[in-house]
Amino acid sequence: MKLDSKIPEGRLEDKWSNYQLKSRLINPANKKKLNVIVVGAGLAGSGAAATLAELGYDVQCFCYQDSARRAHSVAAQGGMNAAKNYQHDGDSVFRMFYDALKGGDFRSREANTYRLAELSAPLIDHYVQQGVPFAREYGGVLINRSFGGVQVERTFYARGQTGQQLVLAAYSQLYKMVRAKKVKMMVRHEMLDLVLIDGKAKGIIARDLVTGQIKRFAADAVVLATGGYSRVFRLSTLAIGCNGSAIWKAHKRGAYFAAPSFTQIHPTALPQTSDSQSKLTLMSESLRNDGRIWVPKDKNDTRNGNDIPEEERDYYLERRYPSFGNLAPRDISSRAAKERIDAGHGVGNLKNAVYLDFKHAIERFGRDVIEDRYGNLFSMYKKITGIDAYKEPMKISPAAHFSMGGLWVDYELMTTIPGLYAIGECNYADHGANRLGANSLLQASIDGYFILPNTINNYLEDALKQDHPGVDHPEFDKVEKEVKSQIEKIMAVKGSRTVDDFHRELGKVMWQECAMSRNKQGLERAIVQIKQIHAEFWKEVRVTGTDNEMNSELEKALRLADFIELSLLMCTDALQRDESCGAHFREEYQTEEGEAVRNDEDFAYVSAWEYNAGDFILHKEKLEFEYVQPSVRSYK
Amino acid sequence: MKVTFKIWRQDSPKSKGVLKSYETDGISEDMSFLEALDHLNEILVAKNEKVVAFEYDCREGICGQCGLFINGRAHGPHEHTTACQLHMRSFKDGDTIVVEPWRAAAFPIIKDLVVDRSAFDRIIEKGGYISAKTGTAPEANAMLIPKEIADASMDVAACIGCGACVATCKNASAALFTSAKINHLNKLPQGKPEQHRRVLDMTAQMEAEGFGSCTLTGACEVECPAGISIASIAEMNNRYVRAKLLG
Ligand SMILES: Cc1cc2nc3c(=O)[nH]c(=O)nc-3n(C[C@H](O)[C@H](O)[C@H](O)COP(=O)(O)OP(=O)(O)OC[C@H]3O[C@@H](n4cnc5c(N)ncnc54)[C@H](O)[C@@H]3O)c2cc1C
Ligand code: FES
């Protein structure tokens, strides 16, 4: 199958309007006859479900939590970018587009990335209208701050809870449409498979997490908005329930998976303290403005951080990147930390952290100033670790944070399965090999609010003329049977190990070999190990309780079974891409100073993988750069 | 460390529940409270028993999904802290820790420590939004909102919807939750056109769901993880009276 990105004609800045001019419309009376399933109720899912319902479609929206308000978009702290140029500092749509394209190391489509920037300003208007209490100046206008290395101030925020405030706006709008009886909200329902009829997406199979019942849902189109899959590493900044199951099942039914191995590792999270730890909390990157990062020079140093004299400390970022120092970009800082930790210099009980030290900053500016700048972060640190960071250096560690990879989609956000769309973090579209901070709340939101509701007509107009198969269609029988047999199979293993035990094992392999820095031998080894984990899982996992009740062990087991398969594809992808780009750093492809070496000649394409009975076939979507010529990303 | 959990076990909404004791070894002080429960569940699996059902998702105090009554207090011994942010270092070796679900008529128990809080969603459904369709927004800076108003709105908008206020209230009142949403929107110019209808409809739904009435004991503001003050309830009451007169 040839990948058709469906990029519209015309100049970059005209493409989206040209698309809208040509796209087909459906009259309101007919929209009522069409039913759309939206799986996910984060920013992408809620935005899409509410807007489709406002337009007149009948919508069924799903989430696994007890309410749409809990989606993990809620955890975003920093903010959301928009090219409003309110600060009069030279920002523009083109500049924002350029930053995102370059930040992604030239592995995304120009047309998509441009549209991301283009729709950012109207999105701020939208959220303000919905009642988001963004930060304001005394005079009443909106405030901005800067984020992640860009040179303008274009980030909008609501204290440290931007994601929460956006989610609450999207959730309210969604429940407005629930009240209008245009959206049926299915909370505590987890999608377990996709149903295709004549090759088109026509429904899903979901498990009611309260009763355990397996249910069928039919529709004219299916939209996946299920978020990121970084829980494949087990320890990550994601919520415990975040999963890759919906997109993985879609992949197994024919949707190509793009750049699965592109994962962003955030440098400043709280370290793991024990094997039973379940998640890593993010600490704002802003701390690196005043904190200095170091490890002991001596590997066997067991003294407290404060007792180690200056000359026995290695401020490795300042040493390796004298011009950027502690403010080196995310991927580089994370990799440098890993390098020191792997060399045995890590600190903390598990020797898996580095110090972030405010001693010098406090001496220089006084405690008051530091408290004013970071007070809330220091108290959060104390809440979690019990340590007073005004007196002792913080311990921080890199953590898996964001999936750039996801289902391949065209300009209309449709996957390679007709009638199946992927929006938000679960697709691969705008961020290339590395996403910029504060661009993903944006992407999830515009996908749901602005893009999908304009593109889905193009497909649904045809669907209108076709019949609308119901849940009694034989394909539903077939897929439901497969889902049930998978559940029965897991319940029947009755082995000796817990699901979490397997997840820890998988997480360790993925973290070691397929995270910040990768190499051929490591990835080949990981593939062997993952196959062993897979075999062992199906022989030894133990799920207690039954499948016809609320059963968190069963939920976890089903998600992990999919993660194990997905991790194989991630390693396959990382192994195939013989270059370093963005977050994908292959040790074989670096300069003498450890800089990534990108290879545009051979790898200026998006890898889109097709599932083939346990194996994967690579398809390439060539990337053409008409408006910006790829350049080298350097931080020396 | 070693602790004894006394946990409410209840198979289904209709069945009878009991407190069951579990002596649990191998707990470390750095574990969060929920990780200690994960640890207990792994032990239960090893013994071929059903795991304890409890709720969580983000585990960083923002999604509002976790909610446990720990030793007689909503979210445990600390003020303004969710159960997922509580750590085992707040307990001593040998402690007995009683863990129960939120108890309120409007939050029926589903299983063990899991309750149904959909009543909150239905309160929001009755007006916790601004009736404007996607695509109809004016330029954001065309409307000036003084910083004091945006900040005051944010103070209450911070509610995480966990239900600790209801669980801790002797009347099981949802006044803090409901007031937080009403005041968030009604303070802002965008919320003004629907302000009266919003107060009347949302408070009516709150009553219809079977939440008790507020007697301003102030217990809720102590536990609220978002630090929302009961002044918010007084403000809602005020708005209610005005809505009755004007609305
Ligand atoms: C800690 C943290 C901080 C961040 N900070 C920022 C920031 O400051 N700025 C920024 O721009 N980005 C930030 N990000 C990234 C950004 O928050 C996410 O990329 C974005 O919110 C994803 O939105 P989404 O709608 O795609 O997914 P989510 O919000 O994760 O929603 C996923 C939805 O899918 C549902 N779901 C999942 N699987 C299933 C299934 N199988 N069946 C049924 N339903 C399912 C869930 O219930 C949920 O409703 C941050 C991310 C994290 C983790
Ligand atoms: S798990 Fe999200 S607030 Fe506790």
Side-chain angles (χ1 to χ4, degrees):
Chain A
M1 175 179 172
K2 188 166 165 347
L3 289 168
D4 179 5
S5 56
K6 298 197 207 141
I7 295 176
E9 296 289 296
R11 296 182 312 155
L12 195 54
E13 52 273 38
D14 298 331
K15 286 183 190 294
W16 179 235
S17 2
N18 288 347
Y19 175 87
Q20 287 173 289
L21 275 178
K22 290 197 183 145
S23 123
R24 292 187 277 180
L25 301 176
I26 303 177
N27 79 46
N30 277 337
K31 281 190 185 131
K32 276 191 214 138
K33 299 180 197 152
L34 293 162
N35 186 317
V36 182
I37 284 177
V38 178
V39 186
L43 289 180
S46 289
T51 306
L52 291 173
E54 287 173 356
L55 289 169
Y57 295 107
D58 259 325
V59 178
Q60 304 176 78
C61 181
F62 295 75
C63 71
Y64 67 77
Q65 296 96 337
D66 72 333
S67 165
R69 67 180 295 148
R70 320 259 187 235
H72 198 55
S73 292
V74 86
Q77 305 163 351
M80 182 169 76
N81 290 333
K84 280 283 197 188
N85 193 26
Y86 280 164
Q87 305 311 319
H88 204 57
D89 55 1
D91 201 7
S92 64
V93 170
F94 191 88
R95 190 181 288 276
M96 181 166 167
F97 148 71
Y98 177 82
D99 286 346
L101 193 75
K102 179 175 175 210
D105 222 356
F106 303 95
R107 290 295 173 262
S108 62
R109 270 181 222 138
E110 281 182 329
N112 278 70
T113 306
Y114 189 87
R115 183 175 59 184
L116 177 79
E118 184 180 356
L119 295 179
S120 65
L123 185 66
I124 294 299
D125 302 339
H126 170 78
Y127 276 129
V128 166
Q129 185 187 37
Q130 296 294 328
V132 172
F134 284 117
R136 303 242 166 199
E137 308 276 7
Y138 283 102
V141 295
L142 291 153
I143 294 189
N144 297 114
R145 59 183 172 204
S146 64
F147 215 83
V150 296
Q151 287 154 317
V152 293
E153 294 190 337
R154 65 161 76 102
T155 307
F156 292 77
Y157 62 98
R159 291 209 184 126
Q161 291 123 282
T162 314
Q164 181 204 26
Q165 292 310 310
L166 302 185
V167 166
L168 292 181
Y171 150 82
S172 311
Q173 202 182 343
L174 179 66
Y175 277 74
K176 176 189 80 182
M177 296 317 291
V178 169
R179 184 184 196 183
K181 303 223 173 340
K182 289 302 290 176
V183 174
K184 206 161 160 212
M185 188 64 218
M186 308 298 296
V187 300
R188 297 194 197 268
H189 275 70
E190 182 155 345
M191 167 176 166
L192 295 184
D193 216 333
L194 177 74
V195 180
L196 306 190
I197 296 175
D198 300 329
K200 300 195 176 85
K202 291 289 181 186
I204 65 167
I205 304 291
R207 181 166 181 269
D208 179 332
L209 300 180
V210 174
T211 63
Q213 202 188 340
I214 302 299
K215 300 181 182 170
R216 308 167 179 199
F217 300 89
D220 297 293
V222 176
V223 180
L224 301 183
T226 54
Y229 52 83
S230 291
R231 275 280 289 170
V232 71
F233 296 94
R234 180 173 159 86
L235 289 174
S236 76
T237 61
L238 275 82
I240 307 299
C242 291
N243 64 86
S245 290
I247 55 172
W248 187 251
K249 287 293 162 46
H251 173 60
K252 289 177 86 170
R253 301 252 169 231
Y256 291 5
F257 207 125
S261 73
F262 288 1
T263 301
Q264 183 166 76
I265 311 293
H266 201 290
T268 56
L270 297 184
Q272 185 186 5
T273 50
S274 78
D275 245 2
S276 46
Q277 190 153 341
S278 56
K279 105 145 241 162
L280 300 171
T281 302
L282 188 72
M283 294 296 282
S284 168
E285 220 172 9
S286 62
L287 290 169
R288 292 198 281 144
N289 281 300
D290 286 302
R292 294 181 70 194
I293 294 179
W294 63 276
V295 291
K297 280 186 180 160
D298 177 4
K299 286 190 210 179
N300 305 314
D301 206 324
T302 53
R303 289 174 291 181
N304 267 337
N306 276 340
D307 299 335
I308 300 177
E310 280 300 315
E311 58 282 7
E312 293 176 44
R313 300 175 173 196
D314 176 13
Y315 293 91
Y316 59 87
L317 281 178
E318 296 170 24
R319 168 170 60 78
R320 287 182 60 183
Y321 305 99
S323 56
F324 271 74
N326 296 298
L327 282 174
R330 280 187 188 176
D331 48 349
I332 293 192
S333 309
S334 295
R335 251 179 343 252
K338 176 180 160 61
E339 189 276 331
R340 285 292 79 193
I341 291 168
D342 286 350
H345 295 269
V347 300
N349 286 345
L350 299 180
K351 288 178 80 60
N352 61 349
V354 300
Y355 287 126
L356 176 61
D357 202 336
F358 291 86
K359 192 177 95 183
H360 296 100
I362 291 172
E363 279 165 13
R364 195 157 145 223
F365 304 113
R367 182 183 155 132
D368 290 354
V369 172
I370 296 303
E371 195 165 342
D372 190 45
R373 285 183 192 162
Y374 311 109
N376 60 337
L377 294 167
F378 277 56
S379 62
M380 173 163 116
Y381 183 77
K382 175 128 199 234
K383 226 180 214 178
I384 297 173
T385 64
I387 293 170
D388 180 355
Y390 294 105
K391 299 195 177 125
E392 275 180 58
M394 283 186 184
K395 293 189 198 89
I396 52 149
S397 201
H401 180 59
F402 182 84
S403 325
M404 275 78 72
L407 293 186
W408 183 92
V409 289
D410 60 23
Y411 191 75
E412 298 186 306
L413 306 181
M414 182 143 66
T415 68
T416 53
I417 296 178
L420 179 71
Y421 293 80
I423 61 176
E425 191 174 336
C426 74
N427 71 18
Y428 178 85
D430 305 344
H431 306 297
N434 175 52
R435 69 114 186 163
L436 288 187
N439 265 0
S440 41
L441 292 175
L442 167 67
Q443 181 236 334
S445 304
I446 61 162
D447 280 6
Y449 280 114
F450 297 155
I451 303 173
L452 180 89
N454 271 298
T455 60
I456 202 168
N457 316 335
N458 237 3
Y459 173 80
L460 285 176
E461 215 238 356
D462 279 335
L464 200 58
K465 295 169 217 141
Q466 296 152 6
D467 44 332
H468 311 276
V471 293
D472 44 5
H473 190 281
E475 279 303 313
F476 276 94
D477 292 337
K478 192 180 129 233
V479 179
E480 185 190 84
K481 216 176 257 162
E482 287 172 26
V483 167
K484 285 184 170 166
S485 88
Q486 161 127 357
I487 292 175
E488 280 159 21
K489 204 171 136 200
I490 278 199
M491 296 302 298
V493 178
K494 295 194 188 332
S496 60
R497 290 176 61 189
T498 60
V499 180
D500 282 343
D501 199 29
F502 279 107
H503 203 167
R504 282 189 285 267
E505 190 183 352
L506 178 71
K508 275 182 195 152
V509 172
M510 289 300 285
W511 185 244
Q512 191 55 38
E513 309 297 358
C514 197
M516 282 163 279
S517 129
R518 299 127 181 221
N519 63 58
K520 185 164 184 287
Q521 287 74 23
L523 288 163
E524 285 170 348
R525 193 165 51 232
I527 289 174
V528 174
Q529 286 169 327
I530 294 165
K531 287 184 175 159
Q532 283 164 354
I533 294 173
H534 183 270
E536 177 85 359
F537 177 84
W538 287 100
K539 269 208 322 261
E540 282 301 334
V541 74
R542 178 188 290 182
V543 174
T544 58
T546 64
D547 59 352
N548 51 22
E549 62 183 325
M550 179 176 266
N551 188 341
S552 56
E553 289 300 301
L554 176 59
E555 290 166 30
K556 287 196 275 187
L558 290 169
R559 291 172 192 151
L560 184 61
D562 294 331
F563 275 143
I564 295 173
E565 295 181 13
L566 167 59
S567 62
L568 260 187
L569 177 59
M570 290 173 73
C571 292
T572 305
D573 179 56
L575 183 61
Q576 185 273 336
R577 191 166 275 274
D578 281 324
E579 67 159 347
S580 294
C581 62
H584 169 68
F585 185 80
R586 277 283 300 270
E587 288 158 16
E588 299 92 326
Y589 307 99
Q590 56 178 313
T591 62
E592 268 174 30
E593 297 98 42
E595 294 292 343
V597 176
R598 202 180 63 216
N599 176 351
D600 289 334
E601 197 131 304
D602 301 317
F603 289 96
Y605 59 78
V606 175
S607 305
W609 297 89
E610 179 185 357
Y611 186 81
N612 182 32
D615 215 344
F616 310 103
I617 302 167
L618 177 64
H619 301 264
K620 299 174 184 175
E621 182 203 336
K622 183 110 191 75
L623 292 167
E624 314 281 355
F625 296 95
E626 262 183 84
Y627 297 87
V628 178
Q629 279 321 300
S631 57
V632 177
R633 234 173 125 232
S634 164
Y635 298 94
K636 283 276 161 185
Chain B
M1 57 198 258
K2 200 170 171 173
V3 299
T4 303
F5 286 112
K6 275 191 153 168
I7 298 182
W8 185 260
R9 302 298 309 257
Q10 178 173 338
D11 248 356
S12 64
K14 298 240 158 60
S15 59
K16 224 175 130 266
V18 285
L19 274 176
K20 268 187 138 175
S21 279
Y22 300 93
E23 278 186 25
T24 313
D25 209 347
I27 302 245
S28 83
E29 300 196 327
D30 285 335
M31 276 182 184
S32 71
F33 192 79
L34 302 189
E35 284 161 5
L37 292 182
D38 290 341
H39 176 73
L40 167 65
N41 275 346
E42 288 205 71
I43 295 175
L44 292 178
V45 171
K47 290 191 193 157
N48 250 327
E49 288 178 32
K50 279 190 189 184
V51 295
V52 177
F54 64 103
E55 298 243 55
Y56 50 80
D57 203 33
C58 74
R59 296 206 176 182
E60 53 180 286
I62 191 75
C63 77
Q65 181 130 352
C66 65
L68 299 170
F69 224 62
I70 301 166
N71 284 343
R73 278 190 73 176
H75 290 307
H78 304 302
E79 294 179 4
H80 312 312
T81 304
T82 55
C84 60
Q85 288 185 308
L86 173 67
H87 285 72
M88 293 310 288
R89 72 180 82 86
S90 298
F91 301 92
K92 289 192 308 291
D93 191 30
D95 271 0
T96 295
I97 306 170
V98 182
V99 195
E100 292 175 89
W102 284 171
R103 301 223 187 248
F107 288 167
I109 294 179
I110 295 176
K111 187 179 181 184
D112 296 342
L113 304 169
V114 177
V115 301
D116 177 356
R117 282 168 293 191
S118 53
F120 273 7
D121 290 332
R122 289 188 294 273
I123 294 175
I124 298 294
E125 203 182 303
K126 289 297 180 301
Y129 48 76
I130 284 161
S131 302
K133 288 187 187 176
T134 301
T136 60
E139 152 61 38
N141 261 349
M143 175 174 43
L144 299 180
I145 305 178
K147 177 175 164 39
E148 297 79 4
I149 292 187
D151 284 352
S153 172
M154 181 64 212
D155 286 342
V156 279
C159 166
I160 64 171
C162 63
C165 48
V166 174
T168 201
C169 174
K170 68 181 169 59
N171 309 317
S173 160
L176 194 65
F177 168 82
T178 310
S179 73
K181 183 49 71 185
I182 289 172
N183 293 327
H184 157 206
L185 296 176
N186 282 13
K187 279 177 197 291
L188 296 172
Q190 303 92 303
K192 294 289 184 222
E194 296 167 287
Q195 57 176 335
H196 300 316
R197 207 170 57 149
R198 178 174 298 119
V199 188
L200 298 176
D201 289 358
M202 288 178 70
T203 50
Q205 186 64 29
M206 176 177 88
E207 273 167 40
E209 293 290 345
F211 290 105
S213 21
C214 168
T215 50
L216 289 173
T217 66
C220 52
E221 70 172 1
V222 178
E223 304 299 8
C224 175
I228 295 169
S229 137
I230 58 161
S232 173
I233 301 180
E235 187 177 330
M236 171 176 75
N237 292 344
N238 239 319
R239 291 185 190 280
Y240 181 83
V241 173
R242 283 187 45 214
K244 275 282 187 201
L245 292 173
L246 307 170

